[in-house]
Amino acid sequence: MHKQSKAIHGQIPRSQYREHSSPLFLTSSFVFQDAEHGEMLFSEQADGNIYSRFSNPNNSEFVDKMAMLEGVEDGFAFASGMAAIFSGIAAFLNSGDHIVASKALFGSSYQIITQILPRWGITHTFVDRDDPALWENAIQENTRMLFAETPSNPGLDLIDLEYLGELKKKYNLLLNVDNCFATPVLQNPAEYGADLITHSATKLIDGQGRVIGGVVVGSEEAIASVRFFARHTGPAMSPFNAWLLSKSLETLYVRVKAHCENALTLANVLENNKNVKFVKYPFLPSHPQYELAKKQMKMGGAMVSFEPKGGAERAKRFVDALEMLSLTSNLGDTRTIVTHPATTTHSKLSKSDRVQVGITEGLLRVSVGLEDVNDIVADVEQALEKSK
């Protein structure tokens, strides 16, 4: 079966009630058959559920689907995307280790690497998006992990995954890829050698702005370390959220395709609007990494970044003039969302750091939704006119 079909039909075995959709397992713990069974579960001589902090049928169904979609062996579901990102790093790095990461990262990922990891003696080097060769130059004797976000949030810069996969093999490093913007529908980092693939399931995986969640999937060996870390630190996803997200995966392919089609239409409209300074979208020929986007992504994604002429003040007038589009910091929703990163999601970065990763004071991030694309375009165009 195609992965889309597997995402729809892959679920835990039906109970004696013959339910068509997986039931919810809202329980904190699971009963052992006898003393020996409990001992075997804890010693990992037998498979089964013990405690919902680290195993639950709903979580397993969601994780199994995500691993299947990414073409890997195993995974672990987390309470949030940031819990997934932190755990996927902290499960492997020790005091004295070094991480090389793309400079263009989501704000909280940047804060983890620059403010939290140094507390434990973990150092880092950021690599500029404009020179991929700097990745190899940044590798040190104590480097253990390469961490990349592609496309980046919010600048939509790309990292060459094939190149990173080659570096990972050459220097025997762990390759950890944040695949949130692309989703497994558009891009599969494991094909290029990624050991860990991280998602904020809050975004396109859920797709309707309902729940918070995250997931890390990868090789069985790598996930064993992630599972150990998560089992004893407790950032697990709730069974309810896992159940909801597993159902969301049944429509992921059709949703992502529609998001991409609407986003490409909007990007083309913006590029031809005299009130727009610049537009970035991976599948626009004007994107500086257009050829790379076509190589490693199937479509351009749901996100469009642009700056209206007039800088920060014009951007603020633009968002205030919107009538249908939402103003919030989330993304990947059925509703089209506009965000001003410099004052919201990336406001904790210094102005100079924002400039280095392409976040200008007037930059706007549009998470293009599933409304009729003519309505999306009409609202953007009228807001551009009103904000002059």
Side-chain angles (χ1 to χ4, degrees), residues 137-154:
N137 296 336
I139 295 172
Q140 304 173 9
E141 288 186 2
N142 59 336
T143 302
R144 192 167 182 203
M145 180 180 286
L146 305 175
F147 183 81
E149 180 182 294
T150 180
S152 68
N153 180 1

Side-chain angles (χ1 to χ4, degrees), residues 53-273:
R53 187 179 77 235
F54 47 86
S55 64
N56 180 284
N58 295 124
N59 295 53
S60 297
E61 179 182 292
F62 170 61
V63 165
D64 288 348
K65 286 184 179 181
M66 285 298 302
M68 177 273 298
L69 290 171
E70 285 288 13
V72 294
E73 299 168 327
D74 202 0
F76 194 90
F78 292 87
S80 70
M82 291 316 305
I85 287 173
F86 175 71
S87 298
I89 296 173
F92 296 95
L93 301 191
N94 299 310
S95 180
D97 286 342
H98 175 254
I99 181 172
V100 179
S102 48
K103 187 177 291 183
L105 294 174
F106 176 57
S108 291
S109 299
Y110 184 90
Q111 296 296 336
I112 286 174
I113 292 173
T114 60
Q115 302 298 321
I116 297 176
L117 295 185
R119 297 179 186 177
W120 300 302
I122 299 169
T123 58
H124 64 273
T125 300
F126 284 127
V127 178
D128 193 281
R129 68 192 191 280
D130 294 327
D131 190 354
L134 290 176
W135 283 88
E136 186 164 17
N137 296 336
I139 295 172
Q140 304 173 9
E141 288 186 2
N142 59 336
T143 302
R144 192 167 182 203
M145 180 180 286
L146 305 175
F147 183 81
E149 180 182 294
T150 180
S152 68
N153 180 1
L156 301 177
D157 297 306
L158 307 183
I159 304 295
D160 190 331
L161 292 174
E162 183 177 16
Y163 173 70
L164 290 189
E166 292 170 354
L167 283 185
K168 169 245 173 161
K169 292 178 183 177
K170 182 177 179 179
Y171 293 96
N172 192 29
L173 304 173
L174 286 165
L175 176 55
N176 187 342
V177 178
D178 183 340
N179 201 30
C180 176
F181 272 22
T183 80
V185 176
L186 305 181
Q187 177 175 277
N188 298 119
E191 294 178 357
Y192 302 95
D195 302 283
L196 300 160
I197 301 103
T198 307
H199 289 274
S200 172
T202 312
K203 310 302 190 292
L204 287 156
I205 300 301
D206 172 34
Q208 296 174 68
R210 300 169 298 184
V211 297
I212 301 292
V215 64
V216 177
V217 297
S219 67
E220 188 174 4
E221 180 181 2
I223 296 302
S225 297
V226 174
R227 179 173 289 105
F228 175 84
F229 181 87
R231 175 169 179 159
H232 298 291
T233 55
M237 180 182 288
S238 74
F240 177 79
N241 285 10
W243 173 82
L244 203 59
L245 290 166
S246 181
K247 296 298 292 182
S248 294
L249 290 178
E250 297 181 11
T251 61
L252 182 64
Y253 271 79
V254 292
R255 286 189 289 105
V256 168
K257 182 180 178 181
H259 280 292
C260 294
E261 290 171 349
N262 281 359
L264 181 57
T265 298
L266 178 63
N268 277 305
V269 168
L270 287 169
E271 192 165 51
N272 291 290
N273 191 298

Side-chain angles (χ1 to χ4, degrees), residues 301-326:
M303 311 302 299
V304 176
S305 291
F306 79 99
E307 181 176 336
K309 293 178 180 177
E313 292 305 314
R314 175 74 181 277
K316 290 179 181 179
R317 293 197 300 272
F318 170 83
V319 297
D320 288 344
L322 291 168
E323 297 175 356
M324 181 184 76
L325 276 56
S326 303

